[in-house]
């Protein structure tokens, strides 16, 4: 009978947290690593087996990863959620001279764009997740999908080059605008010491850059674009295709900078991943989770840490216009091709 050891849970949990945010497919790694290691790992960590305890483990990892994403962006989510409820209030009692169903500001529009973008992948996940997992979560197929993921990332980088100058100008303009607002704030008020002022200034800078990014996203993507970017996540039902990678690439084809595309991708992923985990909670609390809840908790904690650290790294990485998706593309191509050859001849 298959089970789940702490070593398996810890390794896969940490890797899941990192690869869920990196555009290299966490599900693809969850399928390929047990197959490459073989032995007991291949038996314990079989995602395509209907009654595998690995399914309960993945539920815990999804919830932990989504929690890390929400915690990292908590200020943004607080602003977005407040805007959503404000938009509901506007629908109930619209202000004079405004349309009932028209968002009143950037935050309200972003909130509804995220909801709209979540609908296609939510419906597809409910209808197709089981069949995709059972029929496509085979190691050989997964290695092929991971190779295709590399090609998708390269295509996105190729599209982004047409907007490279604009991206650099946007980043410079954002930094200048935020710096000017900070100087005006410092000149108008005081405050609590050099260290605390520096910490506050840094937080204000990050918040200001986030607001500028959200304005560009809502202006360039729009309702139809949000629906399309959300639908692109359906490809991630195929193990080896990255959810964040496909949204980033789709966003760059819509004219978003790599940084803005990454931000929208991460904001969009959190509710999708959390919903996928919550819907599968019965797998975790039911018979599939019996006897392995200790390893599940251990792996989930490491997944949380890995996801949070990965987000910190990636947000800094994509803030530099010189950084590209090419390293992730090359990784996907090499690992996908290498696993395909190894698993074919083994």
């Amino acid at each position: 009978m298959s089970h789940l050891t702490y070593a398996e849970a810890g390794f896969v949990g940490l890797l899941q947290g990192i690869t869920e945010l990196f555009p290299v497919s966490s599900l693809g790694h969850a399928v390929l690593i047990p197959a490459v290691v073989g032995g007991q790992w291949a038996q314990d960590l079989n995602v395509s087996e209907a009654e595998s305890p690995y399914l309960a483990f993945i539920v815990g990892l999804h919830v932990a990863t989504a929690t890390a994403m929400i915690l990292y962006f908590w200020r943004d989510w607080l602003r977005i959620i407040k805007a959503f409820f404000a938009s509901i209030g506007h629908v109930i009692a619209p202000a004079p001279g405004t349309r009932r169903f028209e968002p009143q500001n950037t935050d309200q529009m972003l909130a509804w764009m995220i909801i709209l973008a979540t609908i296609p992948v939510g419906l597809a996940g409910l209808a197709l997740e089981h069949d995709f997992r059972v029929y496509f979560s085979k190691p050989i197929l997964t290695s092929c999908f991971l190779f295709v993921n590399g090609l998708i990332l390269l295509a996105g980088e190729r599209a982004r080059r047409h907007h490279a100058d604009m991206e650099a100008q946007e980043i410079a303009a954002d930094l200048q605008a935020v710096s000017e607002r900070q100087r005006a704030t410092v000149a108008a008020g005081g405050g609590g010491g050099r260290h605390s002022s520096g910490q506050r200034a840094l937080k204000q800078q990050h918040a200001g850059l986030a607001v500028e990014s959200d304005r560009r996203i809502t202006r360039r993507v729009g309702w139809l674009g949000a629906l399309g970017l959300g639908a692109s996540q359906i490809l991630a039902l195929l193990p080896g295709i990255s959810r964040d990678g496909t949204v980033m690439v789709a966003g760059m084809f819509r004219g978003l900078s790599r940084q803005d595309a990454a931000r929208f991708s991460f904001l969009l992923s959190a509710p999708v991943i959390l919903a996928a985990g919550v819907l599968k909670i019965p797998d975790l609390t039911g018979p599939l989770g019996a006897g392995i809840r200790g390893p599940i908790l251990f792996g989930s904690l490491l997944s949380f840490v890995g996801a949070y650290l990965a987000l910190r790294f990636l947000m800094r990485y994509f803030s530099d216009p010189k950084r590209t998706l090419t390293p992730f593309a090359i990784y996907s191509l090499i690992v996908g091709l290498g696993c395909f050859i190894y698993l074919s001849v083994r």
Side-chain angles (χ1 to χ4, degrees):
M1 180 179 178
S2 62
H3 60 290
L4 186 68
T5 68
Y6 278 91
E8 294 167 345
F11 181 83
V12 175
L14 183 61
L15 190 67
Q16 150 75 22
I18 295 172
T19 55
E20 184 68 61
L21 281 307
F22 279 60
V24 294
S25 178
S26 61
L27 181 56
H29 284 74
V31 174
L32 287 175
I33 287 176
V36 170
V37 174
Q40 191 65 37
W41 281 52
Q43 181 180 345
D44 294 344
L45 309 178
N46 184 357
V47 72
S48 63
E49 184 180 342
E51 297 300 324
S52 173
Y54 196 27
L55 299 178
F57 179 51
I58 289 177
V59 172
L61 300 187
H62 279 164
V63 173
T65 303
T67 302
M69 299 174 74
I70 292 171
L71 179 64
Y72 184 87
F73 289 110
W74 73 267
R75 291 182 179 86
D76 301 282
W77 279 114
L78 183 61
R79 177 166 51 87
I80 292 169
I81 292 172
K82 287 172 64 177
F84 168 74
F85 284 108
S87 71
I88 296 295
H90 176 73
V91 170
I92 297 173
T98 61
R99 297 179 180 178
R100 183 181 296 271
F101 297 103
E102 183 178 22
Q104 300 301 295
N105 54 45
T106 296
D107 292 341
Q108 291 185 18
M109 186 167 182
L110 182 63
W112 283 102
M113 283 173 57
I114 291 174
I115 292 172
L116 181 64
T118 303
I119 293 173
V121 69
L123 294 176
L126 289 173
L128 303 173
E129 184 273 336
H130 178 268
D131 290 337
F132 270 56
R133 176 172 53 80
V134 171
Y135 298 113
F136 292 105
S137 295
K138 310 299 182 185
I140 294 285
L141 280 176
T142 299
S143 63
C144 295
F145 292 139
L146 185 59
F147 187 87
V148 171
N149 185 69
L151 298 179
I152 292 173
L153 297 181
L154 288 178
E157 256 329 298
R158 185 181 180 89
R160 190 205 62 85
R161 292 194 189 102
H162 298 296
H163 309 284
D165 293 339
M166 180 185 67
E167 180 177 346
Q169 293 172 4
E170 287 177 347
I171 293 175
D174 285 355
L175 288 172
Q176 182 178 356
V178 171
S179 297
E180 289 175 354
R181 285 200 295 268
Q182 285 181 311
R183 284 195 293 269
T185 302
V186 171
R194 182 176 300 176
H195 178 71
S196 61
S197 296
Q199 291 282 359
R200 184 166 56 252
L202 184 60
K203 292 179 180 179
Q204 290 173 347
Q205 183 185 58
H206 290 165
L209 292 174
V211 170
E212 295 296 330
S213 177
D214 291 345
R215 287 173 179 166
R216 287 192 300 272
I217 291 170
T218 54
R219 185 175 67 250
R220 292 180 181 165
V221 174
W223 302 118
L224 187 60
L227 192 65
L229 265 61
S232 70
Q233 296 181 101
I234 296 174
L235 285 174
L237 292 174
L238 297 170
I241 304 296
S242 166
R243 182 193 314 278
D244 290 313
T246 55
V247 176
M248 286 185 208
V249 169
M252 289 190 287
F253 272 104
R254 291 284 305 182
L256 292 179
S257 67
R258 192 191 303 106
Q259 185 179 14
D260 290 347
R263 174 175 170 79
F264 187 67
S265 171
F266 295 146
L267 288 175
L268 185 57
S269 293
V272 173
I273 297 171
L274 183 61
V278 170
L279 286 173
K280 295 290 186 177
I281 286 292
D283 288 340
L284 181 60
T285 58
L288 290 183
I292 60 168
R293 293 192 178 94
I296 289 175
L297 178 61
F298 177 63
S300 297
L301 288 174
L302 289 181
S303 181
F304 173 88
V305 172
Y308 191 87
L309 294 178
L311 261 178
R312 291 191 61 176
F313 170 81
L314 288 172
M315 293 305 294
R316 293 177 181 175
Y317 181 89
F318 289 127
S319 66
D320 186 346
K322 297 180 181 179
R323 303 288 178 85
T324 72
L325 291 172
T326 303
F328 307 109
I330 293 174
Y331 172 86
S332 298
L333 293 171
I334 292 175
V335 173
L337 181 60
C339 287
F340 178 81
I341 295 173
Y342 174 75
L343 294 171
S344 298
V345 302
R346 185 179 60 178

